[in-house]
Amino acid sequence: MTRRKGIKTQPADQLAAEDDEADGAAHANAGGFTHGAELPIASALGEFLSDPPPGTPAEVVEALTLMAGDPEHPLPPRLYFETVEQAPVAISITDHKANILYANAAFEALTGYSRDEVMGKNESILSSNATPDSIYKQLWRTIQRKRPWKGTLINRRKDGEDYLAELTISPVLDAAGRIRYYLGMHRNVTREHELSVALRQQKTRIETVLDAAPVLVVLLDTDGRIILDNQEYKKLLGDLRGREPLTLLRAALKEQAGFDPLERAAAGEGFRDIEVSIEVPGSSGPRWFACSGSAVNESDSSLSGYFIRGDAGDQRLLLLANDITGRRREIERAHLENLRARLAEQQLAQGMREALTAASFQLQVPLNMIRAASAMFKDGSGNPALFADMLGQVTEAGEAALATLNAALPTEMPEPGVNVNINELLRHVLALETDNLLAAGIVVDWQPALVLPELSGHKNELRSLFKHLIDNALQAMYEGGGSHRGLRLATRALDDAVEVIVEDNGPGIPPERRLKVFEPFHIGWRNRRGRAGMGLALAQEIVNQHAGSIEIDPQYRDGCRVRVTLGNVRPQD
Ligand code: FAD
């Protein structure tokens, strides 16, 4: 027999001796390669065996003969051998103890060992010691039962590098059904493993991010079936007691916004921040969602799309729905509060008007008497007793008018000191003034400090303070008549205090009136209607309560800049 250089072969008698030590089972098992009892070899195989190709190891000749199996249709052995030798998988043939008898070229390339180095050695030479023993036990249990085993082991190359080996071991049985050889085939699946781990990690990351997002996210196929959703979606599903949120949102978009999101996506179009409401059982009122959608083109994963370039896949719809119920309710609440405040103001004004009308009517009586008394005094027709009587009546009528006026004065409700964020408070005041600002064509430059300490303060009083300052700025710019009207509001944190700037580009306040404007009943407007000249006086009082100050900035020349500083409200206030 020809020996291939460097390949260790075993004599046939030695193999026969090992047979006895090996498996004693007499019957062939379906799992292994078996051979008929007589080993009738077809002519091609006979030809091969009578003259094996140069370098063919004896064990390979025998193993291939056994593996060729079907005596009616044997494979041409030369072709069989070439196939094994050149196969892109690492193939080895071992004895029944896993001692290597043959290894192909791919085995050498994958493991880094030459055939010389592994010949006669146990396959355990490839072990990295990282595969659990239980796997080996299971491997051996299976192959010793003459069944093929397939599994994954952590192998180590000769250069020390570990790789993941996907291994198939098939027992090769002889004519008597005894295990003669093991045929091992393995390939390096490290890359596949790394890719699948990376894919899993990527999936976990995406799911984590999606689940952490405070927005409902759902990805739909063209038929509206859910491919992916997140925790917020599931939460709403729970709130809806099992009714599919998607169905409701889709219907709401159709009814309230007039389009079907799926049709939009099919046309490759998206949409942004469309606000719709749905009824959720147990909620006090509808839940509002700002919906956005994007058409997502997914590449075709079917086999028929393998050779087709470009995106021939489906248009998916990525639907995001942000629960804005809180914001909506806040806006509604602010509107209601505003309405309530306006009603209260109107009622107050109405009451004051009535009281003033009554008082001015009552004042007519003493005035008429004073006029009569003064006429009598001038022409000398009166006497002291009459004058005394008249003065008594005047006093009485005057006191009645005063009592009417006093009764009309609104009682002051003490306001508790609460934590106030001045930025938020100013933002609310600005929101309430939006209509007036728009109507007057005023451009607002809002420059809030990024971080502002919270103050303890009287919220309503502070709100009316800033509303008054903004109303003043509006009137100033209106009376100034300039074409560009700009209002700047800025806040700044000071030590234990907050500074607020209210700046307009109206006519400004001349230096001699900068203190006077804070005096009660001072009115400097051309249009005095509805003005009592008490606004800045009250503003000064509110600022004082908050341990602060208010001044007209003397440095500012392009209009009027009111500088307010506010500290914490005094406890006694
Ligand atoms: P070992 O002590 O050799 O074996 C561990 C356990 O395996 C033992 O506790 C025992 O339960 C079982 N076992 C080992 N040998 C036998 C035996 N002769 N009869 C019954 N049970 C036994 N291992 C790899 O790590 N990488 C490979 O690529 C690889 N390829 C193989 C290919 C073939 C064809 C065969 C038959 C085996 C292959 N093996 C491979 C298994 C290898 O032979 C060793 O069993 C394994 O590497 C563990 O070796 P060890 O020295 O760590 O432990």
Side-chain angles (χ1 to χ4, degrees), residues 19-286:
D19 277 350
D20 303 329
E21 295 167 28
D23 197 279
H27 301 289
N29 184 291
F33 291 105
T34 59
H35 195 282
E38 289 298 312
L39 278 181
I41 294 165
S43 57
L45 193 54
E47 220 176 276
F48 170 78
L49 287 174
S50 61
D51 182 18
T56 309
E59 299 82 1
V60 171
V61 174
E62 191 184 4
L64 293 185
T65 307
L66 291 168
M67 283 148 59
D70 184 357
E72 297 296 316
H73 306 98
L75 270 176
R78 201 182 296 266
L79 179 59
Y80 214 136
F81 176 64
E82 287 304 321
T83 308
V84 171
E85 180 59 20
Q86 290 169 26
V89 260
I91 295 180
S92 57
I93 297 172
T94 72
D95 65 13
H96 65 280
K97 287 181 176 163
N99 295 317
I100 300 171
L101 305 173
Y102 164 77
N104 72 350
F107 186 99
E108 286 185 311
L110 178 54
T111 65
Y113 290 106
S114 72
R115 297 181 224 227
D116 283 350
E117 288 171 303
V118 293
M119 243 5 99
K121 301 258 172 61
N122 194 281
E123 293 270 9
S124 63
I125 193 175
L126 299 178
S127 170
S128 68
N129 291 326
T131 305
D133 201 42
S134 58
I135 304 272
Y136 292 129
K137 284 198 171 111
Q138 192 226 347
L139 177 162
W140 280 105
R141 226 179 9 251
T142 308
I143 61 176
Q144 284 183 333
R145 284 180 190 154
K146 301 172 188 172
R147 291 207 186 105
W149 180 87
K150 188 169 178 186
T152 311
L153 307 175
I154 304 169
N155 275 359
R156 180 161 296 165
R157 285 169 51 84
K158 187 186 171 188
D159 62 12
E161 191 190 326
D162 287 352
Y163 67 94
L164 209 61
E166 189 186 72
L167 171 67
T168 304
I169 302 177
S170 289
V172 180
L173 311 183
D174 65 11
R178 287 170 300 195
I179 296 172
R180 181 81 175 167
Y181 303 107
Y182 287 118
L183 172 72
M185 289 174 283
H186 80 272
R187 60 188 195 100
N188 183 352
V189 291
T190 313
R191 187 79 194 115
E192 278 100 316
H193 169 70
E194 283 169 354
L195 283 175
S196 82
V197 170
L199 202 68
R200 262 203 314 273
Q201 275 172 351
Q202 185 80 338
K203 192 167 169 277
T204 312
R205 264 182 230 134
I206 291 173
E207 280 171 0
T208 311
V209 171
L210 280 184
D211 282 344
V215 180
L216 179 155
V217 182
V218 61
L219 182 68
L220 310 174
D221 69 9
T222 31
D223 297 323
R225 279 186 299 256
I226 297 173
I227 303 171
L228 186 146
D229 60 19
N230 72 341
Q231 210 52 43
E232 280 294 310
Y233 186 89
K234 293 187 181 82
K235 220 162 83 191
L236 184 58
L237 183 71
D239 292 350
L240 287 167
R241 299 181 188 150
R243 282 182 76 193
E244 200 61 67
L246 173 68
T247 317
L248 295 180
L249 285 171
R250 198 175 158 192
L253 280 166
K254 272 192 209 163
E255 280 164 23
Q256 297 166 33
F259 69 89
D260 181 357
L262 275 177
E263 283 171 13
R264 279 271 172 102
E269 290 168 16
F271 53 92
R272 273 193 79 79
D273 289 333
I274 308 288
E275 298 190 3
V276 293
S277 65
I278 59 173
E279 292 297 333
V280 177
S283 295
S284 59

